[in-house]
Amino acid sequence: MLCCEDELDVQIHNACGSDMMSDVLAFVKDQTALLTGLVNPQVVRTAMMMDMRCIVFVRGKTPTPEIVNLAKDNHIVVLASPLRMYEACGRLYANHLAEKES
Amino acid sequence: MSDELKFHFDVHGDNFTSAGEASVEVKKKLRQLGFPPDVIRRVSIAMYEGEINMVIHARGGEADVLVYPDRIVIVLEDHGPGIANIDLAMQEGYSTAPDSVRSLGFGAGMGLPNMKRYTEEMNIESTVGVGTKITMVVKVQ
Ligand SMILES: Nc1ncnc2c1ncn2[C@@H]1O[C@H](COP(=O)(O)OP(=O)(O)OP(=O)(O)O)[C@@H](O)[C@H]1O
Ligand SMILES: [Mg+2]
């Protein structure tokens, strides 16, 4: 947990995992979390454009303070996980954070 | 006096980190003006894709946003290499981005299709060696 602990009551209904930002930008759904192994400020900006509330950096990637601050300023929860993308997405899915048709 | 609001931005081609800041600014302005969230999201995603394209493919450019009560017009103009085959560039998955750009998270070939997807009208004028001008319209329903 790297920032915005106070926003943890935000409900996330589905998630999207990709290292390519335009793939993420192709599918708008509400209350989505972004899982990515990409670490740069454009990840946060992509989440902002999509009105996403949570970013999970996978594969043990640690975002720089600059990235975390940008997320914090925009009330986006930042998490980091040692899991690989496949497993991180799989665990969320298995815990019923299924992608819902909108 | 016309009833439109105009915003102008210089998009710097030498700074990948700041790319997208104009889109963030527009998103904030549209929120203050009270546009519906769905309209704001479509404008910001389309403009963000275009802004990133100007930075990674065209060494930067200029963005103008015209806000009317019933529509938002986004004009992106650059003096980059131009697009030789627009039909090809519009195809999902087509990209000329080098590995250096792909490692930054761009180059899936989805940007132009996304811009088309989220706007009601999109027009590309491009001349190789001269530059590219993209005009997009998002209607407020
Ligand atoms: N402003 C531009 N100037 C010159 N060429 C461009 C411009 N915008 C797009 N292109 C060309 O069109 C191609 C497709 O653009 P598009 O935005 O769809 O994909 P991309 O930028 O390569 O990848 P992505 O947007 O998925 O990150 C680009 O690879 C590039 O060759
Ligand atoms: Mg693009």
Side-chain angles (χ1 to χ4, degrees), chain B residues 7-141:
Chain B
F7 302 108
H8 178 85
F9 304 90
D10 288 317
V11 176
H12 300 288
D14 50 2
N15 193 341
F16 173 76
T17 299
S18 69
E21 279 176 355
S23 305
V24 170
E25 202 53 43
V26 165
K27 185 157 190 147
K28 278 191 196 137
K29 295 243 161 70
L30 295 179
R31 265 203 200 121
Q32 285 162 8
L33 291 165
F35 280 94
D38 150 72
V39 169
I40 298 176
R41 186 150 62 186
R42 290 193 291 123
V43 169
S44 26
I45 294 174
M47 178 166 170
Y48 178 66
E49 289 282 17
E51 200 184 338
I52 294 280
N53 276 357
M54 290 202 293
V55 174
I56 61 180
H57 303 299
R59 304 180 303 271
E62 288 174 55
D64 287 281
V65 179
L66 309 176
V67 181
Y68 301 87
D70 64 335
R71 67 190 191 284
I72 292 146
V73 181
I74 308 156
V75 183
L76 305 168
E77 192 161 11
D78 66 59
H79 303 287
I83 304 173
N85 186 336
I86 293 174
D87 288 340
L88 188 61
M90 285 301 299
Q91 282 179 24
E92 290 194 1
Y94 176 82
S95 174
T96 59
D99 283 346
S100 58
V101 167
R102 294 182 64 84
S103 69
L104 296 171
F106 294 90
M110 292 297 286
L112 291 172
N114 282 349
M115 289 155 74
K116 176 115 192 137
R117 190 186 336 265
Y118 294 120
T119 57
E120 267 76 33
E121 286 169 39
M122 175 171 168
N123 178 49
I124 305 179
E125 296 162 59
S126 189
T127 310
V128 172
V130 178
T132 302
K133 181 177 178 181
I134 301 184
T135 307
M136 294 177 284
V137 180
V138 171
K139 291 192 177 142
V140 181
Q141 271 87 344

Side-chain angles (χ1 to χ4, degrees), chain A residues 19-31 38 40-43 45-46 48-51 66 74, chain B residues 16-21 24 27 31 41 44-45 48-49 52 103-108 110 114 117-118:
Chain A
D19 291 351
M20 296 306 264
M21 293 302 107
S22 295
D23 276 340
V24 175
L25 290 161
F27 303 102
V28 166
K29 288 202 174 124
D30 276 323
Q31 321 269 117
L38 182 72
N40 69 46
Q42 299 306 341
V43 174
R45 247 168 241 136
T46 296
M48 287 165 67
M49 294 303 134
M50 298 287 280
D51 304 313
E66 184 195 13
N74 292 283
Chain B
F16 173 76
T17 299
S18 69
E21 279 176 355
V24 170
K27 185 157 190 147
R31 265 203 200 121
R41 186 150 62 186
S44 26
I45 294 174
Y48 178 66
E49 289 282 17
I52 294 280
S103 69
L104 296 171
F106 294 90
M110 292 297 286
N114 282 349
R117 190 186 336 265
Y118 294 120

Side-chain angles (χ1 to χ4, degrees), chain A:
Chain A
M1 174 83 46
L2 296 165
C3 83
C4 296
E5 295 80 355
D6 51 320
E7 312 253 349
L8 267 185
D9 54 341
V10 165
Q11 288 249 359
I12 299 290
H13 297 309
N14 53 52
C16 157
S18 181
D19 291 351
M20 296 306 264
M21 293 302 107
S22 295
D23 276 340
V24 175
L25 290 161
F27 303 102
V28 166
K29 288 202 174 124
D30 276 323
Q31 321 269 117
T32 303
L34 170 60
L35 286 82
T36 187
L38 182 72
V39 185
N40 69 46
Q42 299 306 341
V43 174
V44 182
R45 247 168 241 136
T46 296
M48 287 165 67
M49 294 303 134
M50 298 287 280
D51 304 313
M52 287 173 157
R53 305 298 303 276
C54 176
I55 300 172
V56 183
F57 290 100
V58 298
R59 298 199 291 270
K61 299 279 167 72
T62 316
T64 60
E66 184 195 13
I67 297 174
V68 175
N69 285 332
L70 186 60
K72 197 188 224 162
D73 289 344
N74 292 283
H75 308 285
I76 296 171
V77 178
V78 178
L79 307 173
S81 164
L83 299 180
R84 291 183 8 237
M85 178 79 88
Y86 180 70
E87 201 182 341
C89 290
R91 283 208 197 169
L92 287 177
Y93 196 90
N95 285 287
H96 308 295
L97 187 63
E99 224 199 13
K100 288 197 195 98
E101 292 303 318
S102 58

